[in-house]
Amino acid sequence: MSYHVLHVSDYGCKLVKERGLLVCKKNGFVAGKIALEDLRAVILLNEMVSISGAVISALADSDAAIIHCKDFKPIGITIPNCRTYDARVVLNQASGNKNLNEAIWRRLLHAKIENNVACLERAGVVNSRISAMFQEAKGNLNEAWFAREYWKKYFPLLGEYGKRRDPGDKSSRANQMLNYGYGVMGGIIHRSIIVSGLNSLLGVNHKTYYKNTPLVYDLIEPFRAFVDYALYEYSLSNVDTNMRSWCVHFGRFLADMRVKKNTGSVKLLDASDIMCESLANVYRHKKADNLWLPRLTT
């Protein structure tokens, strides 16, 4: 089955369920319709969209997520109930095995930096200092150093010289667009965590505190470079950039971008499910080698 991410951006839209379809109505007319079972996520880009309880129930029943936005920034998510498929997964994750979690985090961090390097190389930044240091560092990765070097190379690609990654910088269009992309990617991963029988409140590196989901923050790391590359790709193809068109572009990127897996490939939209299923196997068998992570190839 081909799953889709639906963006609802127009003000005054009403989402209702009719015979297994999600129907979008505006001013008394049908603006569009799609089978509910084909949806992976519905993204409400503004607060002026109404949604029926029947739609919410149907989406939850089919393991789809609803991502709520304010001013194009994801602020919440409606997801299905947590579930348990194998008690070993839940109990081993909850036990907080330090050695196992550290092994998982090393793999996540390695994949994150490897994908950052690939993002820069895809954008034409070759022989960068970050690439050389990554090859030399092996297992001893200084995350903060790599992040600083990465953003120094990345933001100029978007024409924002002197900028750095600052989620609160409202003067930076790139930072605001990255906030949206990371927020949506995090929502999709959160859904994958739930349907895989994992607990989003139990992270491997990030700590639990008020209103956060540490496992989401851990597992999004290898995916961040995909969002970065999507924004770079978007900046090349659009002279006049705006949040609405970026949201549409990113939705298409999620569905069209493919990630290598064994001898084949999978959609980026499906990669989070595969990663979380593999993480469940890591906890089931207490072997970090079972973890599959997406790679952004050059």
Side-chain angles (χ1 to χ4, degrees), residues 111-176:
K112 172 188 178 178
I113 297 174
E114 182 179 334
N115 287 346
N116 284 349
V117 171
C119 175
L120 293 178
E121 290 181 351
R122 272 181 167 237
V125 180
V126 294
N127 299 322
S128 66
R129 189 179 175 202
I130 183 174
S131 179
M133 288 298 293
F134 178 66
Q135 297 299 324
E136 295 175 8
K138 304 295 181 182
N140 185 24
L141 300 174
N142 184 328
E143 183 183 8
W145 184 90
F146 278 105
R148 287 194 299 271
E149 291 300 312
Y150 175 69
W151 295 122
K152 286 178 186 176
K153 296 291 184 181
Y154 176 77
F155 276 107
L157 295 172
L158 308 180
E160 294 203 2
Y161 298 92
K163 289 290 183 179
R164 60 187 178 86
R165 177 67 186 136
D166 181 359
D169 186 358
K170 294 184 178 180
S171 68
S172 167
R173 178 59 61 86
N175 271 297
Q176 295 303 300

Side-chain angles (χ1 to χ4, degrees), residues 212-226:
N212 87 323
T213 47
L215 188 59
V216 176
Y217 298 158
D218 289 330
L219 297 184
I220 196 177
E221 297 296 4
F223 286 89
R224 290 185 185 275
F226 288 91

Side-chain angles (χ1 to χ4, degrees), residues 276-297:
C276 289
E277 288 169 6
S278 75
L279 181 60
N281 279 326
V282 167
Y283 283 117
R284 182 176 291 112
H285 302 293
K286 298 184 180 180
K287 292 183 179 179
D289 291 344
N290 291 335
L291 185 61
W292 177 87
L293 296 170
R295 291 314 203 272
L296 180 63
T297 55

Side-chain angles (χ1 to χ4, degrees), residues 190-210:
H190 197 161
R191 172 205 161 275
S192 297
I193 289 171
I194 296 301
V195 301
S196 298
L198 295 162
N199 189 325
S200 62
L201 296 177
L202 302 173
V204 297
N205 181 67
H206 288 83
K207 306 303 179 184
T208 303
Y209 57 87
Y210 180 62

Side-chain angles (χ1 to χ4, degrees), residues 229-272:
Y229 183 72
L231 182 56
Y232 166 73
E233 186 182 71
Y234 169 76
S235 70
L236 292 181
S237 58
N238 293 269
V239 177
D240 297 318
T241 60
N242 62 77
M243 287 298 298
R244 192 179 297 270
S245 64
W246 158 238
C247 294
V248 174
H249 176 88
F250 186 62
R252 290 174 180 159
F253 180 86
L254 285 172
D256 295 340
M257 182 69 180
R258 300 195 71 85
V259 180
K260 283 188 176 181
K261 186 177 187 298
N262 299 327
T263 58
S265 65
V266 297
K267 290 183 178 181
L268 181 61
L269 188 59
D270 297 323
S272 66

